[in-house]
Amino acid sequence: MDRMKNAGVISIGNELLSGRVVNTNSTYISQFLKQYGISVNFIITIGDDKSAIIQAIDACRLHADLIFITGGLGPTHDDITKTTIAEYFNSKLVFHEDILNDIRDLFRRRGKVMSESNVSQAMIPDKAQIIPNPVGTAQGMKFQQKDKTFYVMPGVPIEMERILIDSVSIDMEQLSEARINTLTIHTTGVPESELYGKIENWISIQKQIGISILPHFTHIDLVLYSGDTDSLTLLDIAKRQLAEKLGEIVYGYDDETLEMDVANLLIDKKMTIAVAESCTGGLITDRLTNVSGSSAYFILGVVTYSNESKVLLINVNPETLKRYGAVSSETAKEMALGVRKLSGCDIGLSSTGIAGPPGGSDEKPVGLVHVGLSMSGFLESFEFRFLQDRIMNKQLFSQMALNQLRLTLLRE
Amino acid sequence: MDRMKNAGVISIGNELLSGRVVNTNSTYISQFLKQYGISVNFIITIGDDKSAIIQAIDACRLHADLIFITGGLGPTHDDITKTTIAEYFNSKLVFHEDILNDIRDLFRRRGKVMSESNVSQAMIPDKAQIIPNPVGTAQGMKFQQKDKTFYVMPGVPIEMERILIDSVSIDMEQLSEARINTLTIHTTGVPESELYGKIENWISIQKQIGISILPHFTHIDLVLYSGDTDSLTLLDIAKRQLAEKLGEIVYGYDDETLEMDVANLLIDKKMTIAVAESCTGGLITDRLTNVSGSSAYFILGVVTYSNESKVLLINVNPETLKRYGAVSSETAKEMALGVRKLSGCDIGLSSTGIAGPPGGSDEKPVGLVHVGLSMSGFLESFEFRFLQDRIMNKQLFSQMALNQLRLTLLRE
């Protein structure tokens, strides 16, 4: 087989140039192609404009083997993409009765009547191979010109994704010499430099595995990839080696979230949990209940925003609040203990801090949080300091609370 | 003055092509330029590759007056962008002692020691006008070539944004004939077709105001824009006319959120609120506490996920749960009443429903939610049905709960 094919993406739509819509489709296409070892060389974003579309296709033909074109196929776009492309490939639009029936059917199943403007969506260039769109009215199209292949798809993300997964994947499988396998390792709680220090030597001796370090706002991912014929075995070995080097800072792999890892630990240990939140305002319980089946371990959450509710509902001592303040290690511990007692759960978790923007002082600045944790025979609090804005602080605080819960459960 | 200038954007970075990072910088640049009436004609995204950068700049010169280049200026990128651009403009890199001092200072203020790799960031092409970067180590650069202007900026979003706002804005003000003013109107609770029906006639007679309808997942925005010299007055008139036509489906303007509108209503009416959540799992209180100053009206939230906690904590009648089920109008009302009583607040708000994926039945399918609302002399519940997945359902449920609260407060 020849050298690996490469790709170019053309994203069409005025909304992408005006800044109203972020171009996530091109990101999706890049990720989709990466698993087949096909790399995207460039992405060109243009408006619904005939001459711009033609110029972009001309430029792409010079620099890529596979050209992915998205957008401008809806009935409200005056079919600018489809008529332009038909012209570009010296093709004429032909009416397809069966496609119109499919479209009419789609409307019927949604309990709606098809509008006349949808008839144009049954017109397809005669030189195009139709790529079925099972979830929308605009069909995908494929054009072959010498050694260049053009895929034309609607811009609605869910429709484009289905066309890629259901149909384009079959072509890509054939092109791909070896499928690229990837493994994402999620870590939290240590900065990038410290993470890197732990695996620097390991990275330097890798030959068959590529590695990216991707810092996110609340966590850092390691992405490993390999196109080797043995890549699954290689990634599995790497996973075990890295798990050993990184230890408890790893909380999950691929699609797993921190809250899923916490859920699994709680289910394994047959433990139930209740949460008392102040500064995080419900975000910890929101995250815990994002996991399907969370009612197995999550019993009760309280957001005791005022001092009064801390006293009345979860039995925080008014003296503690007076002496140490609501944002203190002491209050965090009493909140955790109080909500555990109230709920009868095995674990009580709490947060109290200053999300900002107002409310900070020299001693207790914005970004300070105390996390409390109570279990049978165990009562601790943990302090963290950040420097972000209100919404970011809530995210970081909830991450620290869930991570501290995870670490404590691991060590128990 | 000649015709309005137009712009092209070149985004540089392997991470943008591999699908690891979404290109939000180009969206930001488009929005930034739009307010000066400057439109972006195209966005080209390429990797950290010398020949690709040169080809992209060549292509952009043909089709745009202003060329915005971002990315590839960090010390870890081997300065591929800077050396390539220096070469492109026949410029040589010159060391700037003052810039190095500034960089060293920035590290000192962050309590860190400058690494040697940062010295390269004090090397600037001699034909570039330096655009200061107050929040990072990579300076912005401006090149003028005949009637084309090139702005080169780091790819870190916060640094690029500061350079645009602090410095590039001055150039843009000069280019701009009339600043484009925009007004965004947020609506929720009615579908796009119904919204459009209410304002169709109004839209058809507008000559000086442009209008976009932007449907989002939980709400629909109307964006009005005008570059007229009287645009502020025109937008103000339009705002009043549309507010009258749209009535209570409008919940805010520009940066306002639904939770801010609810906050303002509660503060105006001097009312306090407590929330009892089941299916939304804390998301309603999370949203309410995203508003700075929310402790003025938000007193207590409880997430009573189990039947037992509904009974014990907020006094839901076990008979009600047995007879109608946890997901019922009756339970929603008792939860709202119960949390109001428990907290002593003016208002109790509740949610109970089936977020999915499991737990649905024919009678009570996934996507069903009951919202309960209790005030002095008022106890009601409201039913909504959606068809989404767990995370989306939680978003939609919380939107309906906050919107129902808003509507009730408005009508009181």
Side-chain angles (χ1 to χ4, degrees), chain A residues 62-267:
Chain A
L62 293 175
H63 301 292
D65 309 305
L66 308 170
I67 296 107
F68 291 83
I69 304 171
T70 65
L73 295 181
T76 58
H77 280 77
D78 304 315
D79 285 331
I80 180 85
T81 299
K82 192 157 65 183
T83 53
T84 303
I85 283 180
E87 200 180 311
Y88 189 89
F89 291 105
N90 296 313
S91 192
K92 58 175 196 286
L93 291 171
V94 177
F95 175 69
H96 287 246
E97 181 80 42
D98 50 335
I99 292 179
L100 189 65
N101 286 337
D102 286 350
I103 295 174
R104 209 174 261 128
D105 227 50
L106 195 76
F107 274 87
R108 199 176 300 131
R109 275 183 286 143
R110 289 181 184 164
K112 289 182 181 154
V113 176
M114 193 191 78
S115 107
E116 268 315 293
S117 61
N118 286 100
V119 175
S120 71
Q121 299 197 292
M123 304 288 291
I124 308 287
D126 59 0
K127 287 187 184 152
Q129 180 185 330
I130 296 169
I131 316 180
N133 176 353
V135 287
T137 56
Q139 304 303 303
M141 295 172 278
K142 175 179 167 182
F143 295 89
Q144 191 73 43
Q145 213 183 43
K146 292 184 193 147
D147 55 344
K148 308 284 179 181
T149 312
F150 301 79
Y151 295 92
V152 185
M153 298 175 290
V156 180
I158 194 173
E159 299 183 22
M160 188 205 71
E161 292 166 17
R162 273 298 288 274
I163 288 173
L164 286 176
I165 293 167
D166 288 5
S167 303
V168 179
S169 61
I170 298 163
D171 287 9
M172 297 304 115
E173 290 277 4
Q174 281 171 0
L175 289 176
S176 173
E177 281 176 273
R179 199 168 163 118
I180 303 290
N181 287 297
T182 66
L183 172 75
T184 302
I185 303 178
H186 306 295
T187 74
T188 198
V190 301
E192 188 178 350
S193 53
E194 190 179 331
L195 171 67
Y196 186 71
K198 286 176 191 281
I199 54 173
E200 196 174 358
N201 292 335
W202 184 88
I203 290 177
S204 67
I205 56 163
Q206 294 308 311
K207 289 199 171 55
Q208 295 149 299
I209 288 187
I211 299 145
S212 307
I213 299 182
L214 295 181
H216 297 278
F217 183 56
T218 56
H219 63 283
I220 303 174
D221 288 339
L222 282 172
V223 183
L224 314 186
Y225 44 97
S226 171
D228 228 87
T229 42
D230 285 333
S231 66
L232 281 178
T233 314
L234 290 170
L235 287 175
D236 201 48
I237 293 167
K239 180 179 176 176
R240 275 183 284 126
Q241 290 174 339
L242 286 171
E244 196 177 311
K245 285 188 190 300
L246 295 170
E248 63 186 21
I249 70 170
V250 174
Y251 66 78
Y253 300 91
D254 292 331
D255 291 337
E256 290 167 11
T257 62
L258 178 56
E259 37 274 41
M260 281 183 201
D261 193 42
V262 166
N264 290 334
L265 284 167
L266 291 169
I267 289 169

Side-chain angles (χ1 to χ4, degrees), chain A residues 305-318:
Chain A
Y305 224 53
S306 65
N307 277 357
E308 294 71 29
S309 58
K310 288 181 184 74
V311 173
L312 280 174
L313 198 63
I314 50 174
N315 207 25
V316 172
N317 190 335

Side-chain angles (χ1 to χ4, degrees), chain A residues 17 19 27 30-31 41-43 45 55 63 214 281 285-286 289-291 294 300-303 305 358 390 394, chain B residues 17 19-20 30-31 41-43 45 55 63 214 281 285-286 289-292 294 300-303 305 358 390 394:
Chain A
L17 291 180
T27 311
S30 296
Q31 287 171 345
N41 282 359
F42 52 84
I43 301 157
T45 307
Q55 281 170 20
H63 301 292
L214 295 181
T285 58
D286 178 36
T289 59
N290 278 345
V291 182
S294 51
L300 176 71
V302 297
V303 183
Y305 224 53
R390 184 176 184 84
K394 284 179 70 179
Chain B
L17 291 181
R20 287 202 305 268
S30 295
Q31 286 171 345
N41 283 358
F42 52 85
I43 302 157
T45 307
Q55 279 171 21
H63 302 292
L214 295 180
T285 59
D286 178 37
T289 59
N290 278 345
V291 182
S292 177
S294 51
L300 176 71
V302 296
V303 183
Y305 224 53
R390 184 176 184 86
K394 284 179 71 178

Side-chain angles (χ1 to χ4, degrees), chain A residues 10 51-63 88 150:
Chain A
I10 303 176
S51 75
I53 294 172
I54 291 170
Q55 281 170 20
I57 301 179
D58 273 335
C60 284
R61 288 175 61 183
L62 293 175
H63 301 292
Y88 189 89
F150 301 79

